[in-house]
Amino acid sequence: MNTVLPRAFYERPTLDVARDLIGKVLVHDARGGRAAGVIVETEAYIGESDPACHASPGPTRRNAPLYGPPGIAYVYLNYGIHYLVNAVTEPETRPAAVLIRALEPLEGADLMRRRRARGAGARSGHLPAMDLCRGPGNLTRALGISLRHNRVDLTGSALRIEDAGLPARTVGWSSRIGIRVGVDHQWRCYDPHSAAVSRLKPPDGGPKAR
């Protein structure tokens, strides 16, 4: 039986959470049906000293969820195009979160295809399963996640992360993707054997153990 990850899971060092989310299942029960996928790629963003973290300028209205309780969702619009979903981590007032970057579809692949096809042409309606949730913007579109899910409780809502008792995954670490600052941090965690992760290799050409 699947169990929803408790708040204590998130109230830990962010890099530990980023690693331990690999192999867990992101679930969204929406009006149109259930969509779920195995998390295979994450990125950590930690504190005001991390220039790539939204908390770097200090508390603002936009980044307020980062300072709130662990285990809530932080969803924002990126470059005015894509919604990105994060799980807030560490104790309250210590701003940090894990960005969910990619999933392997587990339930609702047809629903994901329909969502991806809206506004993107018929081609998206025929995407292979492993392409449906590759990348954080594609992931949120496929699961029907938007700004209305900002601040929802991932430990007790229709949008949640579960432990399905799946086999442990191999994990690798690399620098984060799609940012221009903080690239020296090896804070991207991923399953190097998954076909659903971003099609980029770590700078050294292979996974790093942590």
Side-chain angles (χ1 to χ4, degrees):
M1 178 181 291
N2 293 11
T3 58
V4 179
L5 297 181
R7 201 166 311 283
F9 176 92
Y10 302 97
E11 196 172 8
R12 299 183 297 143
T14 306
L15 293 178
D16 291 346
V17 178
R19 178 196 62 218
D20 293 344
L21 280 174
I22 302 297
K24 301 302 188 293
V25 179
L26 179 63
V27 180
H28 185 207
D29 287 318
R31 185 175 300 176
R34 173 177 293 194
V38 182
I39 298 171
V40 292
E41 185 178 1
T42 62
E43 283 180 343
Y45 291 86
I46 309 173
E48 295 175 357
S49 63
D50 176 4
C53 181
H54 283 184
S56 60
T60 65
R61 173 181 286 186
R62 183 195 193 200
N63 68 26
L66 292 175
Y67 292 83
I72 64 170
Y74 174 45
V75 181
Y76 60 88
L77 185 62
N78 192 46
Y79 297 120
I81 302 172
H82 301 297
Y83 299 112
L84 274 59
V85 62
N86 303 254
V88 175
T89 57
E90 309 214 10
E92 196 164 351
T93 75
R94 290 169 52 179
V98 172
L99 171 66
I100 312 299
R101 281 199 55 91
L103 307 175
E104 291 180 1
L106 192 63
E107 294 183 66
D110 288 341
L111 175 59
M112 293 179 186
R113 286 190 181 91
R114 291 196 298 272
R115 286 171 170 159
R116 287 289 311 275
R118 291 171 191 162
R123 185 177 179 182
S124 293
H126 302 282
L127 285 171
M130 291 301 159
D131 290 344
L132 289 170
C133 300
R134 179 187 292 114
N138 291 332
L139 179 161
T140 54
R141 181 181 290 272
L143 266 70
I145 298 170
S146 67
L147 285 180
R148 70 180 180 275
H149 298 100
N150 189 35
R151 298 178 183 258
V152 303
D153 188 351
L154 295 172
T155 73
S157 70
L159 179 65
R160 58 194 182 276
I161 303 178
E162 299 179 348
D163 184 347
L166 300 175
R169 300 269 182 146
T170 301
V171 298
W173 293 85
S174 80
S175 54
R176 295 174 292 188
I177 295 171
I179 57 175
R180 297 180 181 178
V181 294
V183 294
D184 52 322
H185 295 309
Q186 301 287 296
W187 287 356
R188 169 179 171 252
C189 188
Y190 65 104
D191 176 357
H193 302 300
S194 175
V197 301
S198 303
R199 291 181 177 139
L200 292 173
K201 293 182 179 179
D204 64 358
K208 292 187 177 182
R210 181 179 293 274

